[in-house]
């Protein structure tokens, strides 16, 4: 009996529960939560996808807009007074959806419509009331959508009057509430709402291709509290499937006033306070970003306004993809940077590679597998081997330009920009070796195997293939506008060093006739946080024809560094005249690739010298020093002998920076190891081979030779005296013994102090 009572109670509750408490299919999908702030007088769609679609018979939907102050936010929301907007659908009484006879599919107005179930083209079945703004709502079994006019397109195919015939009030600055109600069939009694605001907007503007760029822009917008445009613009409705519209005469004005609102009657949102942030990436004249969003900024001369921010990627791409010189794929994230001050040009990177059969002028292909070296920091210049090419990448900021109208409202034509980069390249003597002009019009491939190039009118990639004579050059560049005038703020420069081809002295690329050592070496470290050492194993071999070599480089970054490369390259063409007076085993450049020098707090270099070279030049290990070239001045670095392995001697040196280094002797080291006998002849005390050092910690400088005293004949002293008295001789012998014992004890104390572990077990 109790079970029957329970079943009856449950049945009664199911029958009697109000419709308002049933599953709610009426939701607001757009405006989405991140796009509830609009420019004054903007139109907008109210669009909702039914969670339980398809619905058998949805029914009519009413959309109202109230001042937020007239609403109380209970459940459901209650609003009083007359709505500012009131639009509703008129569905087929049988299906509960909009009948296709109520859609004006013949209305194209120079544009296109797909599917047809879009709110812009709703009319009466007899073809009347097409311009009535109060019935612009469609209902399908999967969604409803309504068009709410704000004022910007009140002259475009609309009476702009309410149902009583009164002119609608423009939607100016203020807070509003959208109220959506189900009127009939399965939606009857359901209510949902959302709050929106009209006022001043700031949007992260830019193109969407490729996905990495789109995602970077969205993330930046979220982090900086900016708007993004991913809801459907009025005129660009889409259900994500077969129903969409492309009414540009409605879309362009709505987009344009979001950037610069030049409508009369606005309260807050005026030209003077226009606030915009734009990503300068992949923008061309066919894009809305160029003609609808950038154009009004230039039309009203706001390109240098404090409220206008132009952004670029530090290495030119959201993620720079390439293969390094070992064939390893690299994918390096950029930092998003703003143009500041009067600067209108930024160099983002230089790529060094072997020339290809086809030109890479103004082209970036993320699917290119050519091995290359990429410099993203040009402060220390660029190095390439003779025969390689380099490509200079950069981005330019928009400049003042006349803007002209086109056949579509708010779609403009821009007449001026930085269109050329003029280059001048000079050699180390200041003579000009090359002048050239390159277009600003970078193109990109985005799909593997695709031949479709997407160009960008504010980016460039200038290819240079003819700089082949070894030496150091200065590359200077400046931007030019459409008329050939120099654009202020577009000057930049950097150095390029072209290395000689490998020689046959044992330091070049190996072949059967040389030492087997290459002319350049690279090593990679996976990265490290600030203060933690990064070690690069160079491992140059020491050979008979290459007696000096760099074995490793260690750096301590002052900021966190990601995966980093260090290159060591022969410097055969460098001026060695400052090294006169020294014996030099090897000269090379050592450079961390693409790392700002300020990011490295210190460096340690380990190098090796062949023992045969020391013997050949009459020097000892203590005579070896590493010297560094900085701005043409060579200076000795703190150098320490480390150890001996076989006939090779290893050293370490600390350096404050990186450039050219020479493994050499201290000035006149060989001469200091030569003594002169009393007869004036040269007597070299140089050993035929360097000493074998078994304890590097105790290595001390030892004279290579001792002074020689000539012993007189017949026991006569040099000053003709009869000889040294015996007591004096005994005293001298005793003194020598004391000194010897004292020296032994002092040396033992010193060794014990430096290496206590050696003596611990005897304590």
């Amino acid at each position: 009996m109790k079970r029957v009572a329970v079943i009856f109670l449950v049945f009664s509750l199911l029958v009697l529960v109000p419709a308002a408490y049933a599953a709610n299919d009426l939701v607001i999908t757009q405006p989405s939560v991140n796009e509830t702030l609009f420019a004054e007088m903007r139109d907008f769609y109210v669009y909702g996808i039914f969670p339980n679609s398809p619905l058998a018979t949805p029914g009519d939907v009413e959309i109202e807009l109230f001042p937020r102050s007239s609403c109380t936010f209970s459940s459901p929301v209650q609003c009083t007074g007359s709505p500012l907007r009131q639009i509703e659908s008129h569905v087929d009484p049988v299906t509960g959806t909009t009948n296709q006879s109520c859609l004006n599919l013949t209305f194209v107005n120079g544009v296109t419509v797909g599917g047809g179930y879009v709110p812009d083209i709703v009319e009466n079945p007899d073809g009347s009331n097409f311009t009535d703004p109060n019935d612009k709502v469609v209902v399908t079994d999967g969604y409803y959508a309504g068009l709410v006019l704000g004022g910007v397109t009140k002259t475009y195919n609309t009476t702009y009057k309410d149902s009583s015939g009164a002119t609608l009030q423009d939607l100016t600055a203020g807070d509003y509430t959208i109220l959506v109600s189900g009127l009939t069939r399965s939606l009857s009694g359901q209510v949902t709402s959302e709050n929106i605001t009209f006022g001043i907007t700031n949007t992260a503007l830019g193109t969407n291709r490729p996905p990495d760029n789109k995602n970077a822009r969205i993330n930046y917008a979220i982090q900086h509290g900016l708007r993004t445009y991913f809801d459907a613009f009025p005129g660009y409705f889409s259900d994500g499937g077969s129903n969409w519209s492309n009414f540009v005469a409605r879309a362009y004005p709505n987009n344009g006033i979001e950037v610069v609102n030049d409508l009369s009657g606005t309260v807050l949102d005026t030209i003077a306070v226009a606030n915009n942030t734009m990503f300068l990436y992949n923008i061309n004249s066919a894009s809305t970003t160029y003609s609808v969003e950038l154009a009004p900024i230039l039309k009203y001369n706001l390109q240098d306004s404090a409220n206008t921010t132009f952004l670029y990627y530090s290495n030119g791409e959201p993620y720079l993809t390439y293969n390094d010189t070992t064939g390893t794929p690299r994918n390096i994230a950029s930092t998003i940077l703003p143009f500041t001050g009067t600067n209108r040009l930024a160099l983002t990177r230089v790529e060094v590679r072997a020339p290809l059969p086809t030109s890479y002028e103004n082209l970036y292909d993320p699917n290119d597998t050519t091995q290359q070296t990429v410099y993203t920091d040009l402060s220390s210049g660029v190095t390439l081997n003779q025969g390689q090419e380099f490509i200079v990448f950069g981005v330019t900021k928009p400049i003042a330009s006349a803007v002209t109208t086109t056949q579509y409202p708010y779609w403009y034509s821009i007449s001026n920009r930085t269109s050329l980069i003029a280059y001048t390249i000079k050699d180390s003597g200041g003579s000009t070796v090359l002048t050239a002009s390159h277009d600003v019009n970078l193109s990109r491939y985005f799909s593997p195997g695709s031949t479709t190039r997407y160009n960008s009118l504010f980016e460039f990639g200038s290819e240079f293939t003819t700089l082949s004579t070894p030496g150091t050059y200065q590359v200077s560049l400046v931007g030019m506008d459409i008329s050939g005038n120099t654009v202020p703020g577009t000057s930049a420069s950097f150095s390029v060093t072209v290395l000689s081809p490998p020689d046959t002295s044992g330091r070049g690329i190996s072949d059967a006739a040389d030492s087997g050592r290459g002319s350049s070496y690279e090593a990679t470290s996976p990265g490290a946080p600030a203060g933690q050492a990064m070690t690069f194993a160079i491992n140059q071999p020491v050979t008979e024809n290459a007696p000096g070599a760099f074995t490793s480089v260690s750096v301590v970054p002052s900021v966190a560094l990601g995966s980093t490369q260090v290159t060591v390259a022969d410097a055969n063409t460098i001026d060695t005249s400052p090294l006169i007076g020294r014996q030099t085993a090897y000269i090379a450049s050592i450079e961390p690739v693409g790392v700002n020098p300020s990011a490295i707090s210190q460096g340690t270099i380990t190098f090796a010298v062949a023992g045969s070279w020391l013997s050949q030049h009459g020097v000892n290990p203590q005579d070896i020093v590493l010297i560094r070239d900085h701005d043409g001045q060579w200076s000795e670095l703190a150098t320490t002998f480390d150890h001996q392995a076989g006939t090779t001697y290893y050293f370490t040196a600390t350096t404050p920076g990186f450039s050219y280094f020479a493994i050499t002797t201290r000035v006149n080291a060989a001469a200091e190891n030569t003594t002169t006998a009393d007869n004036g002849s040269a007597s070299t005390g140089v050993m035929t081979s360097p000493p074998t050092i078994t304890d590097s910690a105790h290595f001390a400088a030892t004279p290579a030779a001792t002074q020689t005293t000539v012993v007189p004949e017949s026991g006569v002293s040099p000053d003709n005296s009869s000889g040294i008295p015996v007591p004096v001789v005994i005293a001298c012998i005793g003194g020598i013994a004391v000194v010897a014992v004292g020296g032994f004890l002092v040396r033992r104390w010193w060794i014990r102090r430096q290496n206590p572990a050696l003596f611990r077990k005897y304590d």
Side-chain angles (χ1 to χ4, degrees):
M1 186 67 179
K2 290 182 179 179
R3 179 176 298 178
V4 173
V6 170
I7 293 173
F8 178 77
L9 177 60
V10 171
F11 175 78
S12 300
L13 290 172
L14 291 174
V15 171
L16 298 175
V17 68
Y21 295 95
N24 197 349
D25 283 304
L26 206 55
V27 298
I28 297 177
T29 306
Q30 294 180 10
S32 61
V33 65
N34 293 321
E35 299 195 39
T36 57
L37 175 61
F38 301 115
E40 292 186 56
M41 302 188 193
R42 216 202 85 170
D43 306 333
F44 60 95
Y45 287 123
V46 180
Y47 168 51
I49 300 173
F50 302 138
N52 298 303
S53 64
L55 299 184
T57 53
D60 277 314
V61 173
E62 179 183 61
I63 300 171
E64 298 173 291
L65 186 71
F66 292 89
R68 193 179 305 175
S69 58
S70 67
C71 299
T72 57
F73 297 93
S74 55
S75 181
V77 174
Q78 300 290 329
C79 298
T80 60
S82 298
L84 299 173
R85 298 289 188 273
Q86 185 178 33
I87 63 177
E88 68 176 77
S89 65
H90 300 284
V91 300
D92 185 296
V94 176
T95 64
T97 61
T98 300
N99 193 292
Q100 197 170 52
S101 64
C102 294
L103 302 173
N104 187 347
L105 298 177
T106 64
F107 177 73
V108 291
N109 195 218
V111 290
T112 55
V113 177
Y117 286 90
V118 298
D120 308 63
I121 58 173
V122 172
E123 63 181 6
N124 288 341
D126 61 4
S128 62
N129 289 343
F130 179 72
T131 59
D132 184 358
N134 304 295
D135 61 4
K136 294 296 184 283
V137 182
V138 294
V139 179
T140 73
D141 62 2
Y143 66 89
Y144 74 91
L147 172 65
V148 179
L149 300 182
V152 63
T153 60
K154 58 187 173 184
T155 62
Y156 176 65
N157 292 304
T158 181
T159 63
Y160 201 58
K161 296 180 183 296
D162 64 20
S163 57
S164 69
T167 300
L168 294 171
Q169 173 186 330
D170 292 337
L171 300 179
T172 54
D175 298 324
Y176 301 85
T177 296
I178 300 169
L179 195 64
V180 181
S181 304
L183 303 179
T184 62
R185 309 303 291 269
S186 62
L187 295 177
S188 178
Q190 297 186 32
V191 177
T192 189
S193 65
E194 184 172 27
N195 293 326
I196 60 173
T197 298
F198 285 76
I200 300 172
T201 63
N202 188 356
T203 304
L205 304 169
T207 60
N208 288 336
R209 188 183 288 112
D212 282 344
N213 174 49
K214 176 181 176 180
N215 294 336
R217 182 162 60 88
I218 294 173
N219 291 335
Y220 185 91
I222 292 171
Q223 293 168 10
H224 294 82
L226 305 178
R227 247 197 79 175
T228 52
Y229 295 145
F230 292 104
D231 287 356
F233 256 106
Y236 283 154
F237 177 79
S238 174
D239 69 346
S242 60
N243 296 288
W244 52 269
S245 64
N246 188 28
F247 299 113
V248 296
R250 190 185 306 282
Y252 295 163
N254 277 283
N255 195 163
I257 65 169
E258 287 276 1
V259 180
V260 180
N261 200 330
D262 57 359
L263 298 175
S264 60
T266 58
V267 177
L268 300 176
D269 194 10
T270 63
I271 295 171
V273 299
N275 203 2
N276 295 286
T277 301
M278 179 173 286
F279 280 68
L280 293 171
Y281 181 85
N282 200 43
I283 299 174
N284 55 58
S285 59
S287 66
T288 302
T289 304
Y290 179 89
S291 297
V292 179
E293 296 172 348
L294 175 60
I297 293 174
L298 302 181
K299 177 181 179 181
Y300 294 105
N301 202 33
L302 299 174
Q303 66 275 359
D304 295 319
S305 165
N307 291 334
T308 302
T309 301
F310 289 105
L311 303 172
Y312 65 95
Y313 295 112
S314 60
N315 64 34
E317 302 294 329
Y319 287 91
L320 180 63
T321 302
Y322 70 98
N323 283 2
D324 65 20
T325 54
T326 68
T328 304
R330 305 289 293 275
N331 195 18
I332 303 175
S334 267
T335 301
I336 298 172
L337 300 174
F339 276 96
T340 58
T342 59
N343 185 28
R344 296 186 178 278
L345 182 146
L347 297 180
T348 55
R349 70 183 185 277
V350 171
E351 297 179 356
V352 176
R353 61 166 72 199
L356 297 176
T358 58
S359 172
Y360 262 67
E361 172 78 10
N362 271 323
L363 177 63
Y364 170 64
D365 181 2
N367 306 294
D368 177 24
T369 58
T370 303
Q371 295 182 11
Q372 55 193 287
T373 301
V374 175
Y375 293 82
T376 56
D377 179 1
L378 305 182
S379 59
S380 298
V382 173
T383 300
L384 58 146
N385 294 320
Q386 188 177 28
Q388 289 185 308
E389 69 172 24
F390 65 96
I391 306 174
V392 183
F393 289 86
V395 58
T396 63
K397 178 182 174 181
I399 62 176
S401 173
V403 172
T404 55
T405 59
T406 64
Q407 61 177 320
Y408 299 114
Y410 284 84
W411 181 281
Y412 299 100
S413 175
I414 300 171
S415 63
N416 201 18
R417 63 184 177 88
T418 301
S419 62
L420 289 175
I421 305 297
Y423 291 87
T424 301
I425 301 180
K426 295 184 178 182
D427 62 19
S428 57
S431 299
T432 299
V433 298
L434 179 68
T435 58
S437 293
H438 293 251
D439 289 337
V440 178
N441 192 12
L442 181 67
S443 295
R444 294 178 172 91
Y445 293 129
F446 289 126
S447 301
S450 172
T451 57
T452 302
R453 295 172 63 151
Y454 298 90
N455 73 302
S456 176
L457 295 175
F458 299 95
E459 301 171 87
F460 59 90
S462 306
E463 183 180 33
F464 293 89
T465 61
T466 58
L467 198 62
S468 57
T469 303
T472 299
Y473 301 85
Q474 191 69 15
V475 179
S476 301
L477 57 125
V478 65
M480 315 292 288
D481 68 9
I482 293 290
S483 301
N485 301 311
T486 299
V487 177
T490 59
S491 298
S493 63
F494 61 94
S495 65
V496 173
T497 299
V498 180
L499 302 177
S500 296
D503 59 23
T504 58
S505 66
R507 296 185 182 179
I509 297 176
S510 62
D511 59 34
D514 65 18
S515 67
R517 190 168 102 179
S519 63
S520 64
Y521 287 76
E522 295 178 348
T524 301
S525 176
Q532 181 175 317
M534 299 169 62
T535 300
F536 303 84
I538 307 300
N539 295 328
Q540 283 183 311
V542 171
T543 70
E544 181 181 356
N545 292 325
F550 292 104
T551 58
S552 71
V553 175
S554 177
V555 301
V556 177
S558 56
V559 297
L561 291 180
S563 180
T564 304
Q565 269 188 338
V566 163
T567 62
V568 176
D570 294 355
N572 299 326
T573 61
I574 193 169
D575 179 16
T576 59
S577 59
L579 306 184
I580 293 175
R582 301 177 186 268
Q583 301 294 330
T584 302
Y586 182 41
I587 305 176
S589 66
I590 304 178
E591 292 289 352
V593 177
V595 177
N596 191 315
S598 64
I600 296 177
S601 60
Q602 67 183 60
T604 301
I605 299 173
T606 302
F607 62 96
V609 179
S612 58
W613 186 88
L614 296 177
S615 299
Q616 177 185 350
H617 292 85
V619 293
N620 293 313
Q622 72 268 22
D623 300 319
I624 298 299
V625 67
L626 188 66
I627 63 175
R628 172 178 176 250
D629 173 44
H630 180 62
D631 294 335
Q633 299 294 319
W634 289 88
S635 57
E636 294 187 357
L637 302 176
T639 304
T640 304
F641 173 77
D642 187 81
H643 71 283
Q644 177 186 353
T647 59
T648 302
Y649 296 78
Y650 293 86
F651 306 81
T652 61
T654 57
T655 177
F658 292 90
S659 60
Y660 290 100
F661 296 86
I663 300 172
T664 184
T665 61
R666 304 181 194 278
V667 175
N668 297 322
E672 292 174 358
N673 290 331
T674 302
T675 60
T676 303
D678 283 353
N679 61 8
S681 62
S683 172
T684 61
V686 178
M687 297 167 289
T688 57
S689 63
T692 298
I693 308 298
T694 59
D695 188 352
S696 62
H698 312 137
F699 178 84
T702 304
T706 56
Q707 285 296 111
T708 302
T709 301
V710 179
V711 180
E713 296 180 3
S714 304
V716 179
S717 68
D719 58 357
N720 293 321
S721 65
S722 61
I724 301 174
V726 172
V728 174
V729 173
I730 295 173
C732 289
I733 293 173
I736 292 172
V738 170
V739 171
V741 172
F744 172 80
L745 294 176
V746 169
R747 184 177 185 274
R748 180 178 177 83
W749 169 83
W750 177 253
I751 295 174
R752 181 188 186 94
R753 182 174 182 272
Q754 296 296 314
N755 296 272
L758 296 176
F759 295 85
R760 189 171 295 136
K761 75 176 191 175
Y762 299 111
D763 287 339

